[in-house]
Amino acid sequence: MSENIKQQTIQFSDKHYHGKNNVDSEATAMKRNHAIVAYRTLLITISEHQVKQKRISNKSKKDMADDLFSATYHKLTLLELSQHYRTSLKHGLDTQQAVIRASEHGRNAISPPPNNWPRKIFCYFFGGFCSLLWFASIICWISWKPLGNPKPSPLNLALAIILMFVIALQSFFNDWKDWSTSRIMKSINSMLPIHTLVERDGEIATVDAVGLVPGDLVYIKMGNKIPADLRLIEASDDLKFDRSVLTGESEAIPGVVDETDDNVLETHNVAMMGTHCLNSSAVGVVVFIGDSTLMGRIACLSLTDPNTRTTLQVETLRSVIIITGLSLTVGSVCLITWAAWLRREYLDFLSVSNALIAVISVIVAFVPEGIPVAVTLCLTLIAHRMQKNNVISKVLTTVETLGSVNVLCSDKTGTLTENKMFVSDVSIGTEGLSSTACNQISSIHFNNSQVTTDSVVYSQLRQLQLVSTLCNGSYHDPATTHLDVSKRIVFGNATDNAILNFAEKMCSSNGTFVESIRANAEKIFEIPFNSKNKWMLTICRSTVQSIADKLSISTTAIDTNDWVLFCKGAPDVILSRCSKILLSSDNTIEERDLTDKQMELLLRLQEKWANEGKRVLLLAGCFIKPEEKPENLISGTSSFSAWVTQMNTQLTVISMITIVDPPRPESAETVRICRNAGIRFFMVTGDFPTTAAAIARNIGIFTTEHPHTIQDLYSYKNIEDTDMYTGYRQEKIISSNNGSQHAPIVVDDIENNLDESSKGTMDLMNNKKTTSLLLSSIDMITLNDAQWDQLCQYEEIVFARTSPDQKLQIIKEFQKRENIVVMTGDGVNDAPSLKAANVGIAMGSGSDVAIEAADMILLEKFSSIIAAIENGRLVFDNLKKVIMYLLPAGSWSELWPVLVNIFLGCPQTISSFQMIVICVLTDFCPSLAIMMGKPEIGLLDRPPRRPRHDRLVNSKLLLHAYGFIGLMEMLSSMFLFFLYLNMNGLPPRDVFLSFSSLTSPNGYKGISAQDISRLINVAQSIYFVNLVISMIASLTIAIVISYVPVFNDYLRTSPILVKFWFIPFDWAFFIILMDEIRKLFAQKFPNNVFMKFTW
């Protein structure tokens, strides 16, 4: 029976594990990336708690990180585990217990998300201005019937219908991303198993995974998906788990019974739901099921992300509140005026129905109905424009956030550099040697052994060549091995690729040395490089004596029974593990004890190379004789790994090797433009501090030779005593058309309205001798809040040797101090920081997880980020221009006709229907043209927008829209309205304060009521045409509205005289001229009254 079970298990593995990698659906891959981001963020958060030893108490509801930090089930002994979960570790639960616990804990399944359709529909149809328009539409319906009986006005019905159409249009553009929720849950549930082996009542049986309860004993075999979160109580020595669904890394995790880490996400005695058993078997106790599992919590986390609004969403909401408040206030004033005065003094002037329509007209006049559509279309157009610059925006609303970015944290490798690495120097003993010299020596000795050369140097180079070949995760594409090394396709990471090509080139440019060595060497064990350890380890054995002879040195002879351990990685990590060094002596090479003097020489050489911007790696190794090999241990088991860790402590220095990754040609210019735009450009890298600083100087991130260090950050300094960063003065070189350069022009980026204290702080920052700061990962561990306050005021910062958790910390610390942060990255470990940043940007060549976590993707050059930032600023500028266009004609010029009607007793100079036409139809095309506008000259010379100060709608914009442009548009339209009436026998003195007399059924001033109605309709159409005659599309709509009989009959529009089609052009020219004069005066006299109209 056990064979049958095993056979079924292997079949299960083939179907559900190996097939998974080949036939992953897009939705499953997407959710797996969501899970990886959430897992890594939790991992970092819990690690921070452990470092600080902080626990949040006094909270009724802890968050996920706190719950996982306080978890202790992985620390319990087996006896404590049995007692805690009231289960037998030999026989499992009995059936009755399982039934009771099932009723207490529910099913072992992740709960689907609530549909929330009522709430979604409510948001679609009542979000933004929609609630106000609903109110207006309902009033129009009521005014039509029953208040309009016995002769309901078709105009009121038309207004109600048009307003509902506007609501439907706006709801279409509201909340458009909710559709992905169901896909997320489906992909998560596809990660869960269907059946599992459980022991109950002392018998092993197959049960549905959804029926598991805490305390169940679950049997795991190779290929099984883990059905719940388990604490292992039995584990084979070679037990392995695949946690890639959570971690994103393919390296198998060993399974053991005892705790290996305080962090529950790092310990190896826990099996997580949704992961796989790769090898061997185990038994575990169910500790969590369903939504309580880590996978379940991540699912809930991905579905209940905080509703943090982007800067654009905040500005849009603020604009809605302001405009809604203004409209309701004015509407209320009009209604009170009618009820308290007009209704009593002029009974026939405004009926209840007409009064309500007048108030609704005020509300509708204030509401720029085209703004929600304009926002969405503007973002879409900008996103398409960015795509042409090889920038893909996954979240439209984050496009504008780029315009507010004032801190950019960039990765180095592959972002600022070309990621085309090559070896430039090596060390022989404690002396440096260029790679060109190495190739010459090796090539001569390899091709012609008769030629006299330094055979000792070659012997050491051969050791370097062997370790570079065997301790390397890259390999050449077999289809290209016949080509020159520089033209071959290499699979692997960029660092290993460079070292592999170096090893191959040492013999000849088209040799196959690497292939021949690897073909005759057996790999026993390997630990791939990771950002936490910062080293790679390989144990191998030569299968032929010729290779063993090449590995031998004068003091140690190697045969095919011996193992060789090679380790490659960061010198500051590996050098402490070394006790010997490989040196030449009497025309031979031998191991010697590593002295303090030699250590100093190595460190000095490392520092020299690092100052040149080169990345330095140390290669070390040791020989393992048969008597040193572990007995009864199998490679790949946890016991074997522990033995390897012990052996990786007494190493011999073989060589140091430098890797050069040239900066991208456009990197320096990109940094310059960003800094010129007021964005502080920081480098976050894993390189050695000196190397990172040298590269930072090459591309303009550092402008000083001696940056500050942690010694310049005082742990006791109060924030009140810290010089706050408020911007910086920029020196720009202005180039003429012939390419000559003028003297530097100093441009003050701080706005004129800064108070004196801020200006004093700015001058203090400008007078500093240095504003650069260089910090390593060790430095960051010791920083307190006071030091972070000081750190965040620097203009130039390089963070070196950073780990993924420190990247996330950097983002959070800058955000805590009200900075808008962009983070770039491409690796799995970058995902949490990309997700946490205001805008996360992944490189197109990066990992799927990084791309999933990011908001934007740069497909090619890093310089594309300049176009992204420029378009982010353009979004805000164009939206302000759209609002500036919509408010004067669409709000102000529509408001005054209603006010004049109510307070001055004149007929309404534009009908309510024409108001709606302006807001929804005629303004659409001009708004679209404005949204497609190109960036203004000098857009990237401005400082970033400050979200808390530079608003989309502010007092200056309203004053400009209403008190300047709007006033001229309204007066010109009013003039034409009364001009036409005057031309037809109704001078303004007879129209003002006429109230009900003008609309009397008996006529007025010798003019019949029918003729007066016709004159008013024509005058209203003239007012309407004067506001909208700006584009061919708007002109066409105006002609249709004014000349089609159905509109004339039911909506009271009318044809107008030909000359009134041409007069508006003169008014338009006059308004443009006045606005240009305003701009000129604002530039020439910045402190005069015109600055109050400048936004």
Side-chain angles (χ1 to χ4, degrees):
M1 173 159 180
S2 61
E3 285 188 8
N4 293 337
I5 293 176
K6 184 176 181 179
Q7 187 176 1
Q8 292 173 0
T9 303
I10 294 173
Q11 291 173 352
F12 184 83
S13 168
D14 291 338
K15 180 178 179 181
H16 293 277
Y17 176 65
H18 298 291
K20 170 178 71 69
N21 292 329
N22 298 326
V23 296
D24 255 348
S25 67
E26 181 182 353
T28 303
M30 179 184 69
K31 186 57 225 161
R32 183 159 68 255
N33 292 337
H34 275 293
I36 293 169
V37 175
Y39 172 86
R40 288 192 169 274
T41 304
L42 287 171
L43 180 62
I44 291 170
T45 305
I46 295 170
S47 298
E48 289 176 351
H49 280 313
Q50 290 173 338
V51 170
K52 297 179 180 180
Q53 289 298 305
K54 290 183 179 179
R55 291 187 59 181
I56 301 176
S57 56
N58 302 323
K59 282 189 178 182
S60 58
K61 186 177 180 180
K62 297 181 180 180
D63 62 18
M64 190 191 308
D66 296 322
D67 287 339
L68 293 173
F69 171 67
S70 59
T72 58
Y73 62 86
H74 61 296
K75 302 178 181 180
L76 300 177
T77 65
L78 295 184
L79 178 60
E80 292 171 339
L81 184 70
S82 174
Q83 294 173 345
H84 184 78
Y85 289 94
R86 294 172 296 154
T87 187
S88 169
L89 302 186
K90 293 184 177 180
H91 306 291
L93 299 174
D94 58 44
T95 303
Q96 185 177 1
Q97 283 179 305
V99 171
I100 295 173
R101 295 189 184 188
S103 63
E104 292 177 354
H105 299 279
R107 291 162 53 87
N108 178 35
I110 297 175
S111 302
N115 288 327
N116 286 331
W117 280 113
R119 181 179 178 182
K120 291 179 183 178
I121 294 174
F122 182 85
C123 291
Y124 290 152
F125 287 93
F126 292 92
F129 293 118
C130 288
S131 55
L132 200 61
L133 295 178
W134 269 114
F135 173 73
S137 179
I138 291 172
I139 296 299
C140 289
W141 280 102
I142 296 174
S143 298
W144 176 59
K145 286 183 180 180
L147 295 180
N149 291 332
K151 293 182 179 181
S153 172
L155 178 61
N156 296 346
L157 175 62
L159 287 176
I161 294 174
I162 292 173
L163 287 172
M164 293 190 70
F165 169 75
V166 175
I167 293 170
L169 184 65
Q170 290 195 12
S171 65
F172 178 77
F173 289 95
N174 285 338
D175 301 330
W176 44 267
K177 64 178 182 178
D178 290 339
W179 59 272
S180 62
T181 301
S182 58
R183 292 179 61 193
I184 290 176
M185 278 312 304
K186 288 179 181 177
S187 58
I188 278 206
N189 286 326
S190 68
M191 299 180 185
L192 308 183
I194 300 175
H195 303 288
T196 188
L197 290 175
V198 177
E199 183 171 3
R200 289 179 181 171
D201 297 322
E203 296 182 359
I204 300 176
T206 300
V207 301
D208 290 338
V210 295
L212 289 179
V213 296
D216 265 330
L217 286 189
V218 175
Y219 284 75
I220 305 168
K221 294 185 180 295
M222 183 180 65
N224 288 163
K225 279 185 180 178
I226 309 304
D229 282 359
L230 310 178
R231 162 65 195 278
L232 300 181
I233 61 172
E234 294 180 17
S236 301
D237 198 45
D238 55 349
L239 178 65
K240 297 280 186 179
F241 290 105
D242 171 26
R243 291 187 181 178
S244 60
V245 68
L246 293 175
T247 64
E249 296 177 351
S250 58
E251 181 184 356
I253 304 297
V256 296
V257 174
D258 298 323
E259 169 200 2
T260 60
D261 198 295
D262 287 341
N263 190 333
V264 68
L265 301 182
E266 293 275 29
T267 187
H268 294 171
N269 65 338
V270 172
M272 308 289 189
M273 172 191 266
T275 60
H276 287 83
C277 177
L278 294 183
N279 195 39
S280 196
S281 60
V283 180
V285 174
V286 175
V287 291
F288 290 116
I289 63 171
D291 293 336
S292 299
T293 63
L294 178 62
M295 183 67 74
R297 297 183 190 200
I298 288 176
C300 295
L301 185 67
S302 65
L303 297 173
T304 57
D305 286 334
N307 292 320
T308 53
R309 296 185 178 95
T310 64
T311 56
L312 180 60
Q313 290 170 328
V314 170
E315 288 303 313
T316 304
L317 177 62
R318 182 176 176 273
S319 303
V320 168
I321 293 173
I322 291 174
I323 294 173
T324 300
L326 287 174
S327 66
L328 292 177
T329 300
V330 177
S332 300
V333 170
C334 292
L335 187 61
I336 293 171
T337 302
W338 171 80
W341 174 45
L342 294 178
R343 188 180 182 187
R344 296 180 180 180
E345 300 293 333
Y346 304 96
L347 294 176
D348 298 331
F349 177 53
L350 284 177
S351 63
V352 175
S353 174
N354 291 336
L356 290 176
I357 291 298
V359 172
I360 291 306
S361 298
V362 172
I363 295 175
V364 172
F366 258 111
V367 175
E369 288 85 353
I371 285 184
V373 178
V375 169
T376 303
L377 290 179
C378 186
L379 291 174
T380 304
L381 290 171
I382 294 296
H384 283 298
R385 185 177 296 174
M386 291 169 61
Q387 190 170 359
K388 293 180 181 178
N389 291 308
N390 298 312
V391 181
I392 295 178
S393 177
K394 294 168 54 184
V395 184
L396 285 180
T397 50
T398 61
V399 172
E400 190 277 332
T401 306
L402 276 174
S404 306
V405 165
N406 55 14
V407 171
L408 195 157
C409 297
S410 176
D411 190 18
K412 179 185 73 70
T413 304
T415 303
L416 297 173
T417 60
E418 294 182 347
N419 204 22
K420 296 178 180 178
M421 302 182 185
F422 61 89
V423 174
S424 63
D425 301 273
V426 301
S427 68
I428 300 298
T430 57
E431 301 292 331
L433 191 66
S434 70
S435 61
T436 303
C438 294
N439 291 337
Q440 291 174 350
I441 294 172
S442 298
S443 180
I444 291 173
H445 194 279
F446 181 81
N447 294 318
N448 187 0
S449 59
Q450 301 300 319
V451 178
T452 303
T453 186
D454 191 345
S455 58
V456 177
V457 173
Y458 172 72
S459 298
Q460 289 188 264
L461 289 177
R462 185 174 60 185
Q463 293 293 322
L464 170 60
Q465 189 180 24
L466 289 170
V467 66
S468 299
T469 299
L470 296 174
C471 188
N472 196 307
S474 296
Y475 62 94
H476 289 120
D477 184 354
T480 62
T481 52
H482 64 285
L483 301 176
D484 187 270
V485 175
S486 60
K487 298 180 180 179
R488 295 180 189 179
I489 297 175
V490 190
F491 299 109
N493 68 67
T495 302
D496 278 352
N497 293 351
I499 297 175
L500 187 71
N501 286 339
F502 169 73
E504 191 74 279
K505 283 183 179 179
M506 284 178 67
C507 296
S508 65
S509 61
N510 56 0
T512 56
F513 173 83
V514 171
E515 184 179 356
S516 62
I517 293 296
R518 289 182 171 179
N520 294 303
E522 176 190 0
K523 185 181 294 185
I524 307 297
F525 183 77
E526 182 178 272
I527 299 177
F529 176 86
N530 64 73
S531 57
K532 187 175 181 180
N533 293 336
K534 299 187 183 301
W535 50 260
M536 174 185 181
L537 181 144
T538 299
I539 297 178
C540 56
R541 179 185 71 87
S542 61
T543 57
V544 295
Q545 188 58 42
S546 60
I547 302 299
D549 292 340
K550 292 181 179 180
L551 290 169
S552 301
I553 58 177
S554 60
T555 53
T556 308
I558 302 298
D559 60 32
T560 55
N561 293 320
D562 297 324
W563 291 355
V564 182
L565 183 151
F566 290 131
C567 187
K568 173 189 66 184
D572 52 328
V573 176
I574 299 180
L575 200 54
S576 60
R577 303 167 183 258
C578 298
S579 57
K580 296 182 180 181
I581 185 172
L582 205 62
L583 294 173
S584 60
S585 176
D586 299 330
N587 293 326
T588 61
I589 55 173
E590 62 183 16
E591 291 179 337
R592 289 188 180 178
D593 291 336
L594 182 61
T595 64
D596 293 340
K597 179 64 175 177
Q598 292 165 342
M599 179 82 75
E600 181 183 351
L601 291 173
L602 287 174
L603 292 175
R604 190 178 301 170
L605 184 60
Q606 178 200 4
E607 185 176 2
K608 172 183 175 295
W609 283 336
N611 283 325
E612 296 170 358
K614 300 173 182 178
R615 182 183 178 190
V616 185
L617 297 177
L618 180 69
L619 282 67
C622 67
F623 301 115
I624 303 174
K625 292 295 184 177
E627 59 271 16
E628 298 177 294
K629 296 178 184 178
E631 296 181 1
N632 302 322
L633 291 183
I634 302 173
S635 175
T637 64
S638 56
S639 302
F640 190 87
S641 300
W643 173 80
V644 170
T645 302
Q646 181 181 356
M647 294 298 297
N648 191 30
T649 54
Q650 299 295 321
L651 303 178
T652 299
V653 175
I654 297 175
S655 178
M656 286 195 303
I657 191 168
T658 66
I659 306 291
V660 173
D661 187 9
R664 291 181 181 270
E666 70 275 7
S667 291
E669 181 66 8
T670 301
V671 172
R672 186 194 67 79
I673 293 174
C674 285
R675 297 193 63 177
N676 194 55
I679 300 172
R680 292 186 284 170
F681 200 110
F682 303 152
M683 181 192 291
V684 183
T685 179
D687 279 345
F688 193 72
T690 313
T691 304
I695 296 172
R697 290 188 192 95
N698 290 339
I699 60 178
I701 294 178
F702 270 0
T703 57
T704 56
E705 286 295 327
H706 304 288
H708 284 182
T709 62
I710 192 171
Q711 282 74 27
D712 298 286
L713 301 178
Y714 302 104
S715 59
Y716 54 84
K717 194 171 186 179
N718 296 325
I719 184 62
E720 292 80 7
D721 302 325
T722 302
D723 298 330
M724 303 303 293
Y725 178 85
T726 57
Y728 54 88
R729 301 173 68 89
Q730 305 160 12
E731 291 188 355
K732 298 182 292 183
I733 304 300
I734 310 297
S735 299
S736 62
N737 293 333
N738 60 7
S740 63
Q741 292 184 335
H742 301 278
I745 299 177
V746 179
V747 181
D748 194 349
D749 279 333
I750 308 303
E751 295 187 359
N752 294 321
N753 59 353
L754 276 178
D755 57 60
E756 292 302 320
S757 61
S758 296
K759 290 181 179 179
T761 302
M762 182 197 69
D763 291 336
L764 184 60
M765 290 295 296
N766 293 333
N767 293 329
K768 280 187 175 182
K769 293 183 179 180
T770 178
T771 55
S772 303
L773 179 66
L774 177 62
L775 288 181
S776 68
S777 58
I778 298 176
D779 297 333
M780 289 181 60
I781 293 174
T782 64
L783 294 179
N784 58 25
D785 286 341
Q787 291 171 309
W788 275 108
D789 289 333
Q790 298 164 59
L791 180 153
C792 290
Q793 311 313 319
Y794 279 83
E795 295 175 17
E796 305 169 357
I797 307 179
V798 170
F799 298 96
R801 308 301 280 168
T802 53
S803 58
D805 55 328
Q806 289 174 329
K807 288 185 179 182
L808 183 60
Q809 183 186 15
I810 292 168
I811 299 296
K812 290 181 176 180
E813 293 293 344
F814 274 97
Q815 287 176 332
K816 190 190 302 182
R817 290 157 181 85
E818 298 183 3
N819 290 285
I820 308 297
V821 184
V822 164
M823 178 69 193
T824 68
D826 55 5
V828 172
N829 290 327
D830 295 325
S833 54
L834 289 173
K835 194 75 172 176
N838 297 92
V839 181
I841 300 180
M843 303 302 292
S845 58
S847 67
D848 291 341
V849 178
I851 291 174
E852 183 67 36
D855 301 301
M856 293 184 183
I857 303 166
L858 301 184
L859 296 181
E860 292 184 3
K861 296 182 179 179
F862 180 65
S863 58
S864 301
I865 198 171
I866 298 299
I869 293 171
E870 184 178 47
N871 282 299
R873 296 186 176 188
L874 180 62
V875 168
F876 192 78
D877 272 14
N878 284 356
L879 283 177
K880 293 196 80 164
K881 292 175 183 177
V882 168
I883 293 174
M884 189 63 227
Y885 172 78
L886 293 176
L887 291 183
S891 294
W892 192 245
S893 299
E894 294 176 0
L895 170 65
W896 276 100
V898 180
L899 297 180
V900 168
N901 175 239
I902 293 176
F903 291 96
L904 297 180
C906 293
Q908 193 166 304
T909 57
I910 184 172
S911 70
S912 300
F913 167 72
Q914 289 167 332
M915 292 181 186
I916 298 295
V917 170
I918 290 175
C919 292
V920 179
L921 297 179
T922 60
D923 277 353
F924 176 77
C925 293
S927 298
L928 189 62
I930 294 173
M931 288 184 287
M932 297 178 68
K934 295 182 179 179
E936 295 181 1
I937 297 175
L939 182 60
L940 288 178
D941 294 334
R942 305 183 206 160
R945 183 174 75 85
R946 298 167 298 170
R948 295 200 175 191
H949 300 87
D950 305 326
R951 298 294 193 177
L952 187 63
V953 175
N954 56 22
S955 58
K956 288 186 176 183
L957 183 138
L958 291 176
L959 190 59
H960 186 196
Y962 292 153
F964 193 76
I965 301 295
L967 186 63
M968 289 188 290
E969 289 186 2
M970 181 270 294
L971 291 176
S972 64
S973 300
M974 284 283 187
F975 173 80
L976 292 179
F977 178 89
F978 289 107
L979 174 65
Y980 177 78
L981 291 182
N982 186 66
M983 291 169 58
N984 288 273
L986 284 175
R989 65 176 178 271
D990 293 335
V991 178
F992 282 106
L993 302 177
S994 60
F995 292 103
S996 58
S997 300
L998 185 65
T999 57
S1000 172
N1002 298 322
Y1004 180 67
K1005 298 292 183 179
I1007 304 174
S1008 66
Q1010 185 177 1
D1011 288 340
I1012 290 176
S1013 178
R1014 180 182 58 80
L1015 291 175
I1016 292 175
N1017 291 343
V1018 174
Q1020 287 178 338
S1021 296
I1022 291 173
Y1023 190 105
F1024 168 73
V1025 168
N1026 189 66
L1027 291 178
V1028 304
I1029 189 167
S1030 57
M1031 293 185 67
I1032 294 178
S1034 301
L1035 181 62
T1036 303
I1037 294 172
I1039 292 173
V1040 171
I1041 294 298
S1042 301
Y1043 287 91
V1044 173
V1046 66
F1047 293 108
N1048 302 152
D1049 296 339
Y1050 294 100
L1051 300 176
R1052 301 176 187 175
T1053 61
S1054 178
I1056 64 176
L1057 298 177
V1058 174
K1059 64 181 178 181
F1060 285 102
W1061 285 102
F1062 292 95
I1063 294 176
F1065 288 103
D1066 297 329
W1067 286 120
F1069 176 77
F1070 174 75
I1071 293 173
I1072 293 174
L1073 179 63
M1074 292 298 295
D1075 198 46
E1076 291 301 318
I1077 293 174
R1078 175 197 63 81
K1079 293 179 183 178
L1080 178 63
F1081 272 87
Q1083 292 176 355
K1084 295 293 184 181
F1085 310 102
N1087 295 322
N1088 65 12
V1089 68
F1090 287 97
M1091 283 302 298
K1092 297 186 179 297
F1093 298 91
T1094 303
W1095 44 271

